[in-house]
Amino acid sequence: MQPILVKDRLFKVSMPASHIQARVQEVGAQISRDYEGRTPIFISVLTGAFIFAADLVRSVATPSEIAFIRVASYEGMGSSGEVKQVLGLKEDIRDRDVIIVEDIIDSGLTMKELISMLEQKGPRSINICSLLVKPGNLKVQGLPIRYCCFEIPNDFILGYGLDYDGLGRELPDIYTVVE
């Protein structure tokens, strides 16, 4: 498959849509087993996780709810290092099983801050379901990443909800930047 141009960068397919969908189904089945008899609330981190969250929730066989929160720490192709809550959670999560749905965990700093904010609301449990994790770039240890679809190297990627300056989210495959 030929590289594609997004804005000013070339990207090549690194993960085809069929591979992504198969893994999302596997993780959804695992969540169904783990939360059987309970009604977890998925909290999708906007904007990047919206496609993953939609596919994931449809793959879970147990009753569940979904809510959305927006936090931001990326600018262009790198993390700004500053976490900002843009859109807050309105649902009551006290004594609820929370599954944070994230597109990618890079340094873990954003997720650490988000978990801290959610813990103040008194949930029964908090676990993370991330489409992608960059283990070589994690700066925070001990994050409750119970579900990880894929571990990837420290490359810049886009597609399947992830973007480069707002572009490329609609792509069904995941692409890696070509240096």
Side-chain angles (χ1 to χ4, degrees), residues 10-34:
L10 282 176
F11 291 84
K12 65 179 180 178
V13 172
S14 57
M15 207 175 296
S18 60
H19 189 62
I20 297 165
Q21 291 304 316
R23 183 66 181 131
V24 170
Q25 291 296 315
E26 290 172 4
V27 170
Q30 182 64 49
I31 290 170
S32 298
R33 288 188 295 275
D34 291 350

Side-chain angles (χ1 to χ4, degrees), residues 44 108 111 129:
S44 176
M111 188 56 60
C129 180

Side-chain angles (χ1 to χ4, degrees), residues 18-145:
S18 60
H19 189 62
I20 297 165
Q21 291 304 316
R23 183 66 181 131
V24 170
Q25 291 296 315
E26 290 172 4
V27 170
Q30 182 64 49
I31 290 170
S32 298
R33 288 188 295 275
D34 291 350
Y35 288 88
E36 186 175 354
R38 296 185 280 172
T39 306
I41 182 167
F42 291 93
I43 297 178
S44 176
V45 180
L46 294 173
T47 301
F50 79 105
I51 292 174
F52 172 47
D55 289 346
L56 179 68
V57 169
R58 287 190 301 248
S59 74
V60 173
T62 188
S64 63
E65 294 178 35
I66 189 163
F68 298 90
I69 191 165
R70 186 168 186 169
V71 294
S73 66
Y74 264 78
E75 293 174 358
M77 291 181 61
S79 179
S80 68
E82 182 181 345
V83 177
K84 306 168 195 159
Q85 182 174 351
V86 178
L87 177 67
L89 180 69
K90 295 184 179 48
E91 289 77 6
D92 183 9
I93 62 169
R94 180 166 301 285
D95 298 323
R96 300 285 309 274
D97 294 306
V98 171
I99 301 172
I100 301 170
V101 181
E102 180 64 293
D103 57 352
I104 187 167
I105 298 177
D106 195 328
S107 68
L109 296 171
T110 300
M111 188 56 60
K112 179 182 175 187
E113 181 67 24
L114 177 55
I115 288 171
S116 177
M117 291 170 9
L118 292 175
E119 284 175 338
Q120 295 173 20
K121 297 181 179 293
R124 177 183 306 125
S125 66
I126 297 177
N127 284 296
I128 300 166
C129 180
S130 187
L131 175 66
L132 305 164
V133 175
K134 293 182 177 181
N137 208 38
L138 281 174
K139 294 182 173 121
V140 177
Q141 300 303 314
L143 290 173
I145 306 171

